[in-house]
Amino acid sequence: MDAQRIWKQTLDIVRLSISEANFSTWFSNTFISEIKILEDDKQIVEIGCPSSFLRSTIEERYTSLLQDALNQVTGKKNNISFTIKQNPYKTKNELQFSPLFNSQINKDELFEKAVKNAHLIPAYTFENFAVSSTNQMAWAAASAVAKNPGSSYNPLFIWGGVGVGKTHLMVAIGYEILKNNPNCRVFYCMGEEFTSQIIEAIKTKTTNEFKRKYRSTQVLLLDDIQFLAGKTAVQEEFFHTFNTIQREGGQIVMTSDRPPEDIQRLEERLRSRFEGGLIVDISPPDFELRTAILLIKAKQRGIQIPMNIAQLIASKIESPRKIEGFLIKLISESTTKGIPIDENLVFDLIGKPNGEKTFHPVSHQEIIRKICEYYNLNKKQLLGEGRSRKLVLPRQILMYILRKELKLPLEEIGRIVGGRDHTTVMHAVEKISNLISTNKEISEGLMRIKNFSSPNN
Ligand code: ADP
Ligand code: MG
């Protein structure tokens, strides 16, 4: 068998084990430049590569694959060496393989470059995103958009409180699209940044550049759109950008801390555009999700946290952002002091004055006061006999907090809440526990009452 035939059959085998893009990138112009026979069943095959870059990549990644394939084709033991040479058989068609033949740039490199150009935040991928009932809908919508940008839900509008994972999910869409097509022009931008760029462009009379940049985007990820509120010139430009991208078949994804109808001073034509797509919300994460987030974040840092410790932290800290902050502190404390990550360390850090702000209510009076304040009721209404929903829900939330946070006995709670019997208390606690993960009004109310999501954290 001549060298060319051997090489062709070898590459036919190699081709089965690597992606088409990699195959054509690395092997399209390779050839056998020499075969040195050592013994009957041993030989050295010298492989010609057109550049040193190709040579070192092939040598590093594919030597053993090539060796196995050569052994299979020749029935001999082959050793491989490499040389840098132009392919003398290049013009012959028989060695041409795929349409990607000319591409010398590896798909991985292209992807990395695209991620950088798109300004995506590292590690905010679907693989690192945990799903539960509080974000299931948003996740499903985001996955659908990532699979079929520009067609399924356009625009996709994701809203929810601070730290619930809006940015993460939005960026994950960008990653997924680029993974499937690194040539897609994806761009992530914060509403604030978008705003200041337009204002700057108007000031320096460079709006054309701005327009070119944004209007040629195929997938625009605009984060925290509420920053556009009240800024007429910015909204005007966004409206045109929006229309151009959509007209060209592109995809728009937006996030906000509130639904479109609650964004004050938003032009009606924009609002109606937003409402023409899909609007999904994410509620604050439940206990299971917080545990999962903690485990994911720890794993990303190469740390294994025992399940009971993860659950302990998740039960104490409600905001995913603070969970991550706490984790960093925990890891650094454990490594600098050389102590294990255990319950003692967790309690130690949570208890510190400048540690995480967790919920330590002083008394039931304090909780009653906070609930009255939040729901705009007086104490008599909250603890009284009124049966309207406006009163019943806050009352049940009160019983829930007294039970879950102060761990008071049912009878005692009944006594505090206007002399009710323990089955009423039990029923209320059960009801709120069941609703907490699905009902945004309740979960948000709880968060606010417990001071976990003041707008500045
Ligand atoms: P938002 O944009 O809603 O304020 P982020 O997307 O910035 O929230 O999320 C805050 C932090 O919590 C990030 O580190 C993010 O990775 C993490 N996070 C939130 N939700 C999830 C989730 N479901 N799975 C994994 N990490 C999450
Ligand atoms: Mg965000």
Side-chain angles (χ1 to χ4, degrees):
M1 212 185 329
D2 70 12
Q4 255 186 290
R5 285 261 298 282
I6 293 177
W7 193 235
K8 178 156 184 347
Q9 289 183 17
T10 303
L11 290 189
D12 280 342
I13 295 172
V14 168
R15 196 177 192 178
L16 297 175
S17 351
I18 66 178
S19 77
E20 198 57 31
N22 276 349
F23 179 78
S24 63
T25 303
W26 303 121
F27 293 103
S28 56
N29 271 322
T30 54
F31 62 101
I32 291 179
S33 60
E34 200 185 344
I35 298 180
K36 286 183 209 148
I37 302 198
L38 298 178
E39 293 166 28
D40 262 354
D41 58 348
K42 266 192 190 162
Q43 58 188 17
I44 296 178
V45 177
E46 189 186 65
I47 295 166
C49 309
S51 72
S52 65
F53 176 56
L54 281 179
R55 177 208 152 130
S56 58
T57 310
I58 295 175
E59 188 167 13
E60 227 166 72
R61 292 195 197 173
Y62 300 116
T63 298
S64 65
L65 185 61
L66 282 172
Q67 212 156 18
D68 289 348
L70 274 169
N71 293 350
Q72 213 175 315
V73 172
T74 59
K76 296 183 180 179
K77 272 192 123 152
N78 291 271
N79 275 326
I80 300 181
S81 67
F82 293 91
T83 180
I84 301 165
K85 262 190 203 154
Q86 291 311 310
N87 184 359
Y89 315 108
K90 210 172 171 179
T91 46
K92 296 190 181 164
N93 286 335
E94 54 182 349
L95 270 175
Q96 307 243 332
F97 291 101
S98 82
L100 284 167
F101 206 70
N102 292 328
S103 145
Q104 288 293 323
I105 304 174
N106 180 320
K107 208 176 171 190
D108 293 348
E109 274 175 33
L110 213 63
F111 172 70
E112 270 170 37
K113 223 167 141 187
V115 164
K116 218 167 138 201
N117 288 339
H119 291 186
L120 301 185
I121 299 162
Y124 279 13
T125 58
F126 278 117
E127 288 81 29
N128 293 334
F129 190 82
V131 184
S132 91
S133 57
T134 56
N135 59 14
Q136 162 93 32
M137 275 281 289
W139 170 79
S143 310
V145 166
K147 278 198 195 90
N148 280 312
S151 50
S152 3
Y153 307 115
N154 202 6
L156 174 64
F157 190 104
I158 305 170
W159 69 274
V162 179
V164 295
K166 304 181 295 295
T167 299
H168 187 140
L169 199 52
M170 165 185 256
V171 171
I173 296 175
Y175 270 106
E176 195 65 19
I177 292 174
L178 288 180
K179 216 157 77 186
N180 298 329
N181 176 12
N183 290 316
C184 185
R185 289 190 299 277
V186 175
F187 194 67
Y188 166 86
C189 180
M190 304 214 308
E192 248 176 320
E193 208 181 321
F194 185 83
T195 303
S196 60
Q197 283 178 11
I198 294 184
I199 294 170
E200 187 60 24
I202 294 171
K203 239 192 327 199
T204 55
K205 301 197 171 49
T206 51
T207 44
N208 279 342
E209 248 166 66
F210 179 91
K211 284 179 183 147
R212 244 195 319 277
K213 173 171 158 195
Y214 280 93
R215 294 189 193 177
S216 65
T217 298
Q218 290 169 312
V219 177
L220 179 62
L221 310 171
L222 199 52
D223 203 4
D224 287 326
I225 193 110
Q226 71 273 9
F227 280 103
L228 269 60
K231 303 181 176 91
T232 318
V234 179
Q235 290 187 18
E236 165 89 21
E237 183 50 42
F238 181 51
F239 181 73
H240 294 299
T241 306
F242 190 105
N243 287 345
T244 312
I245 293 176
Q246 262 199 349
R247 198 176 50 237
E248 300 293 320
Q251 171 74 43
I252 292 161
V253 183
M254 292 169 281
T255 70
S256 166
D257 64 351
R258 64 203 80 176
E261 76 258 24
D262 288 352
I263 303 179
Q264 304 292 317
R265 293 177 297 151
L266 179 69
E267 277 187 38
E268 205 39 52
R269 55 182 181 166
L270 269 181
R271 198 188 311 275
S272 75
R273 282 287 190 289
F274 297 174
E275 286 165 354
L278 179 71
I279 300 174
V280 284
D281 69 317
I282 306 183
S283 317
D286 52 23
F287 171 69
E288 275 73 27
L289 184 54
R290 295 199 300 273
T291 310
I293 292 174
L294 186 95
L295 292 170
I296 290 175
K297 298 282 175 194
K299 199 168 149 216
Q300 278 173 19
R301 292 181 159 76
I303 301 280
Q304 271 223 321
I305 301 249
M307 188 51 119
N308 63 326
I309 300 296
Q311 288 179 331
L312 173 66
I313 299 168
S315 72
K316 299 278 176 200
I317 304 176
E318 302 216 341
S319 140
R321 268 194 205 165
K322 292 186 171 182
I323 285 183
E324 198 173 10
F326 184 76
L327 184 69
I328 293 168
K329 209 155 68 177
L330 194 66
I331 294 172
S332 107
E333 193 81 359
S334 141
T335 34
T336 46
K337 293 195 177 153
I339 46 178
I341 293 180
D342 59 10
E343 269 186 31
N344 290 338
L345 184 58
V346 172
F347 278 121
D348 215 27
L349 290 180
I350 282 184
K352 281 190 177 167
N354 60 352
E356 291 307 314
K357 215 175 24 162
T358 50
F359 185 53
H360 295 301
V362 264
S363 63
H364 67 262
Q365 283 96 338
E366 172 74 352
I367 297 169
I368 290 173
R369 193 186 57 71
K370 279 192 170 171
I371 292 183
C372 285
E373 192 180 293
Y374 182 75
Y375 288 103
N376 203 10
L377 303 170
N378 61 40
K379 194 171 157 192
K380 216 163 142 195
Q381 287 173 309
L382 181 66
L383 305 181
E385 294 301 319
R387 299 290 314 149
S388 72
R389 187 174 184 278
K390 186 174 159 276
L391 300 175
V392 171
L393 184 68
R395 196 176 293 142
Q396 289 175 329
I397 287 185
L398 169 62
M399 294 189 246
Y400 174 86
I401 295 181
L402 292 178
R403 179 75 180 156
K404 295 283 174 181
E405 305 290 344
L406 293 199
K407 314 247 183 284
L408 296 181
L410 297 172
E411 286 76 13
E412 162 108 36
I413 298 172
R415 196 186 51 72
I416 293 170
V417 188
R420 291 174 158 81
D421 72 21
H422 77 278
T423 51
T424 310
V425 179
M426 206 160 71
H427 169 73
V429 174
E430 231 166 64
K431 189 179 149 195
I432 300 298
S433 304
N434 288 333
L435 286 177
I436 217 164
S437 60
T438 49
N439 185 313
K440 187 152 175 87
E441 185 193 341
I442 292 178
S443 52
E444 230 183 66
L446 267 169
M447 288 269 270
R448 302 235 182 243
I449 291 160
K450 294 199 267 168
N451 252 346
F452 285 124
S453 65
S454 72
N456 302 326
N457 61 6

